C-alpha cells in the first residue's frame, strides 16, 4: 500500500472511495454529503464508528477531534473497514482550513498502522486489495500548507509506522521460525541501509566476555545464543544513543516452569529486542543525526538436564554474583550482561526495553509501558514523547527500601525480590546493579510486558504484537534532534 500527497481538493481527486472524517459529530462539514441518511443507517459519528455509503462512494469515519491520536485512530479504523472490500484506491482530505497544517504525520501513521495484517501462517491470505491512499491537500493554494512540509510529515509518519509494523512481524513469528540465529540473520539484512553495520556474536564471545548470566539462561536450549549489535553511524552525530533489548525468542520459565496458560504468548518475550532493532532501522531511514546502537540478547529459556537451576550462583560480566532463586526471572539476567556490554560504548543515553515482569502489567494495566530510571527530567522527556506518539506510559518510582529486597545470603544479590509486591520496580532495581555510576542518570528502563502483545485488539492495535516502545523512542529522538 502506498500513501501519497496530492495537490488537489478531495472531491476533485479520482479514487474508488473517499474517506471523510466526521469530526466531533459535526454533520455540517462541506464534505459530508449523506447526512440525511445517517439517522436511517444508524450512524452517530462516534469514535471508531464507520459507515460506507455506496451511492456516493464515501466512507464516513467518526473522529472525536483533530488531535493527533484521534486522527490515528480514525485513519486506522477507515482502513480496517476497507480490508474486506475490493477497493484499490482511496483519497482523504486534510482538514487544513479548520485546523491549519492538519497532522499529515498522524494520518500516515494511522493508515500504515491500521493496514498491518499478520497472515504468514494462514493458507488463505487476508491482505486487502488497497493499493494506494491519496492525501489531498485541500488548501494547497495556501502558503502554510506546502507540499514539501506535507511530504516530510508523510515520510516521517510512514517510516515510524513501518518500523512499528516491522517489530510486530518479528514478534508474531513463531519461536520455531524466529530462533536467535534467525533473529540475527534478520538483523543483518538491515545492513542494506546506508551507514548501518551489524555484528553477531556467539557463545565463544559471550564466554570470553564473562557474560555468564546470559549464558546460563541459554544452557538448556538447543538453539545457541546470539548477541546482536547493530550500529547506525551517520556523519558528525550529535549524540550516542544505545538501546538494549530483551530478545527471549521463547520463555518457558525454565525449571521454574510457567503454568501452561502463562506460557502461551511467550514468543512475545523478544519484543524488546524487536523494538530496538526497529528503532535503529527507522533512525537510519530518517537519517537522524545520532549514532544509534541496538544490542539484543537473543536466547530461549528452556528446560532440560543442563538447565540452570534455582540455587545456582552466576557471575555476571561486571563480576557481580547472582543467586538464582527463580529461573523465570531470566530477562534481567540476560539484560544485566548486555547492559554491561552496552556501557563500554560510553553512551549519552542508555535505554533498555523488555517484557520484563507480569508485575508491571498488574501495576499499570495491559496498555501501558512502565518507565523507570534515576533521572526525573529524562523520565519526563520519555513520557512526553510517548504521549505525543500515542503510546501509553506511566512512571514507576525506585526507592532504596525496595532495592534491599534483592539481598541474598549467599551472593551479591538474588534474581528475585523477597516480597510479592512492587515486582516491576524490583526488577528495574535489579538491573540498576549493572549500571555504573557514570551512567545512572543516562539510563532508562522500559518494561513493555503489558502493551507488547495483545490477546484482544484495542484502538489501532491489532491482536498479537503491537511494536510497543518503537514510536515513543522515535518521537523522543525527533524531539532531541530539534535541540
Ligand atoms: N517474560 C516474563 C514476563 C512477562 C509476563 C511478560 C507476562 C509478558 C507477559 C518474565 O521473564 C517473567 O517470567 N517474569 C516473572 C518474574 C518473577 C519470577 C519474579 C514474572 O513476572 O512472573
Ligand atoms: Zn520469565
Ligand atoms: Zn521473560
Amino acid at each position: 500500500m502506498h500513501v501519497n500527497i496530492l495537490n488537489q481538493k478531495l472531491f476533485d481527486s479520482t479514487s474508488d472511495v473517499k474517506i471523510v472524517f466526521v469530526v466531533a459529530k459535526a454533520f455540517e462539514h462541506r464534505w459530508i454529503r449523506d447526512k440525511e441518511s445517517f439517522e436511517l443507517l444508524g450512524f452517530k459519528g462516534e469514535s471508531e464508528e464507520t459507515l460506507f455509503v455506496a451511492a456516493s462512494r464515501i466512507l464516513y469515519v467518526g473522529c472525536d477531534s483533530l488531535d493527533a491520536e484521534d486522527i490515528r485512530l480514525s485513519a486506522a479504523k477507515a482502513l480496517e473497514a476497507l480490508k474486506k472490500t475490493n477497493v484499490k484506491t482511496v483519497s482523504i482530505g486534510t482538514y487544513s482550513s479548520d485546523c491549519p497544517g492538519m497532522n499529515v504525520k498522524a494520518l500516515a501513521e494511522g493508515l500504515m498502522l491500521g493496514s498491518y495484517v499478520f497472515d504468514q501462517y494462514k493458507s488463505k491470505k487476508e491482505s486487502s486489495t488497497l493499493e494506494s491512499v491519496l492525501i489531498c491537500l485541500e488548501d494547497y493554494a495556501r502558503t502554510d500548507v506546502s507540499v514539501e512540509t506535507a511530504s516530510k510529515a508523510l515520510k516521517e509518519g510512514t517510516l515510524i509506522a513501518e518500523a512499528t509494523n516491522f517489530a510486530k512481524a518479528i514478534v508474531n513469528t513463531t519461536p520455531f521460525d524466529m530462533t536467535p540465529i534467525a533473529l540475527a540473520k534478520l538483523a543483518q539484512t538491515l545492513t542494506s541501509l546506508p551507514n548501518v553495520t551489524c555484528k553477531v556474536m556467539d557463545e565463544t564471545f559471550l564466554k570470553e566476555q564473562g557474560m555468564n548470566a546470559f549464558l546460563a539462561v541459554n544452557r538448556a536450549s538447543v538453539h545457541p545464543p546470539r548477541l546482536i549489535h547493530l550500529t547506525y553511524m551517520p556523519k558528525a552525530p550529535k549524540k550516542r544513543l544505545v538501546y538494549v533489548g530483551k530478545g527471549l525468542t521463547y520463555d518457558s520459565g525454565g525449571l521454574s516452569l510457567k503454568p501452561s496458560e502463562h506460557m502461551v504468548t511467550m514468543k512475545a518475550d523478544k519484543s524488546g529486542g524487536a523494538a530496538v532493532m526497529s528503532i535503529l532501522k527507522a533512525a537510519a531511514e530518517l537519517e537522524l543525526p545520532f549514532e544509534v546502537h541496538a544490542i539484543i540478547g537473543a536466547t530461549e529459556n528452556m528446560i532440560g538436564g543442563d538447565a540452570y537451576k534455582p540455587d545456582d550462583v552466576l557471575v555476571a560480566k561486571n563480576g557481580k554474583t547472582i543467586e538464582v532463586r527463580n529461573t523465570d526471572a531470566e530477562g534481567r539476567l540476560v539484560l544485566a550482561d548486555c547492559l554491561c556490554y552496552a556501557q563500554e560504548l560510553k553512551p549519552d543515553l542508555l535505554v533498555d526495553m523488555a517484557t520484563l515482569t507480569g508485575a508491571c502489567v498488574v501495576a499499570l494495566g495491559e496498555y501501558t509501558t512502565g518507565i523507570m530510571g534515576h533521572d526525573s527530567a529524562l523520565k519526563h522527556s520519555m513520557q512526553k514523547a510517548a504521549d505525543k506518539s500515542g503510546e501509553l506510559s506511566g512512571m514507576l518510582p525506585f526507592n532504596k527500601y525496595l532495592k534491599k529486597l534483592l539481598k541474598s545470603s549467599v551472593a551479591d544479590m538474588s534474581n528475585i525480590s523477597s516480597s510479592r509486591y512492587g515486582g516491576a520496580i524490583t526488577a528495574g532495581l535489579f538491573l540498576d546493579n549493572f549500571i555504573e555510576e557514570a551512567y545512572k542518570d543516562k539510563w532508562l528502563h522500559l518494561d513493555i510486558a503489558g502493551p507488547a502483545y495483545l490477546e484482544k485488539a484495542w484502538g489501532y492495535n491489532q491482536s498479537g504484537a503491537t511494536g510497543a516502545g518503537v514510536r515513543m523512542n522515535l518521537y523522543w529522538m525527533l524531539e532531541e534532534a530539534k535541540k
Side-chain angles (χ1 to χ4, degrees), residues 176-292:
F176 182 82
D177 288 333
M178 198 53 81
T179 59
I181 287 177
L183 192 62
K185 279 201 181 128
L186 185 63
Q188 266 156 340
T189 64
L190 296 184
T191 57
S192 63
L193 292 168
N195 304 322
V196 174
T197 53
C198 180
K199 284 192 291 182
V200 175
M201 276 75 75
D202 61 12
E203 300 103 301
T204 320
F205 178 88
L206 298 179
K207 273 178 207 148
E208 276 165 20
Q209 291 285 310
M211 299 173 88
N212 302 305
F214 184 168
L215 281 165
V217 173
N218 177 257
R219 261 184 13 219
S221 171
V222 298
H223 299 291
R226 288 293 182 266
L227 175 65
I228 305 166
H229 182 167
L230 279 156
T231 306
Y232 160 60
M233 183 80 79
K235 285 197 189 76
K238 284 187 180 175
K239 276 188 172 168
R240 185 178 297 132
L241 317 178
V242 179
Y243 295 87
V244 177
K246 170 176 173 181
L248 264 285
T249 59
Y250 203 69
D251 181 12
S252 71
L255 290 179
S256 314
L257 196 64
K258 285 185 185 293
S260 357
E261 62 279 12
H262 287 174
M263 210 183 291
V264 184
T265 73
M266 278 304 141
K267 67 172 181 183
D269 219 18
K270 57 185 177 301
S271 298
V276 300
M277 207 159 128
S278 308
I279 290 166
L280 184 132
K281 175 182 186 282
E285 289 167 341
L286 290 162
E287 300 176 64
L288 295 181
F290 305 114
E291 177 182 332
V292 182

Side-chain angles (χ1 to χ4, degrees), residues 429-446:
L429 286 167
F430 175 90
L431 298 178
D432 181 49
N433 285 307
F434 301 89
I435 306 292
E436 294 162 36
E437 222 39 69
Y439 300 106
K440 293 269 190 220
D441 287 341
K442 297 178 174 169
W443 169 59
L444 283 179
H445 162 54
L446 305 178

